[in-house]
Amino acid sequence: MSHPELEEDPHYADTAPGDESLDGYEAAEEIRTYLVGLGLATLLTLVSFFISRTMLVWEPSIPVALAVLAIAQMGVHLVFFLHITTGPDNVNNVLALAFGVLIVLLVIVGSLWIMAHMNHNMMPMDQIIQMQS
């Protein structure tokens, strides 16, 4: 079947996410998408290593540049490999991603809060030494 015939079929859109299609054109398009993502991810990785080793970037701004490149690489992975888009069929994927980010942030912020609280309540070192002697 050609593409116009598929679009006329009422069951064409009635497939589960991740189902493999038998159409060779769509398979080639998927492979091309993955290769573009691989190229962009590799380019961002190489640029990160280049920036960290060169003097072309102002030295105090290197961590900021690396953070920007890391965020860009996360975006590449989300779009090209995980297929997270703004389409209506990706609502569950976006919600799962948001929930995962929320859990990670809660663990990080909670750990930092607990460590800061423990550090604040800890007895100064000189008083600990006096108690031991």
Side-chain angles (χ1 to χ4, degrees):
M1 274 198 238
S2 67
H3 291 292
E5 293 172 356
L6 281 176
E7 291 171 1
E8 291 174 6
D9 184 13
H11 300 291
Y12 174 67
D14 192 23
T15 57
D19 278 352
E20 294 183 18
S21 65
L22 299 176
D23 189 10
Y25 176 76
E26 290 178 3
E29 189 175 322
E30 282 286 322
I31 291 173
R32 185 179 56 84
T33 301
Y34 284 121
L35 289 176
V36 168
L38 176 66
L40 286 173
T42 304
L43 179 69
L44 288 169
T45 302
L46 292 174
V47 169
S48 297
F49 279 108
F50 178 75
I51 283 178
S52 66
R53 301 282 183 200
T54 187
M55 300 301 281
L56 294 176
V57 179
W58 184 47
E59 192 170 344
S61 69
I62 289 177
V64 174
L66 292 177
V68 167
L69 288 170
I71 291 170
Q73 191 157 27
M74 283 188 280
V76 167
H77 285 273
L78 288 173
V79 171
F80 287 98
F81 300 121
L82 297 177
H83 304 291
I84 302 290
T85 61
T86 58
D89 57 338
N90 279 329
V91 172
N92 289 336
N93 292 341
V94 172
L95 287 175
L97 177 66
F99 181 70
V101 169
L102 174 70
I103 296 299
V104 168
L105 287 176
L106 284 174
V107 168
I108 291 172
V109 170
S111 298
L112 291 173
W113 181 48
I114 289 171
M115 288 188 287
H117 190 263
M118 289 176 67
N119 188 33
H120 178 71
N121 289 335
M122 191 169 178
M123 189 180 302
M125 190 56 90
D126 59 346
Q127 289 180 1
I128 295 174
I129 293 173
Q130 289 175 357
M131 286 178 58
Q132 289 178 350
S133 54

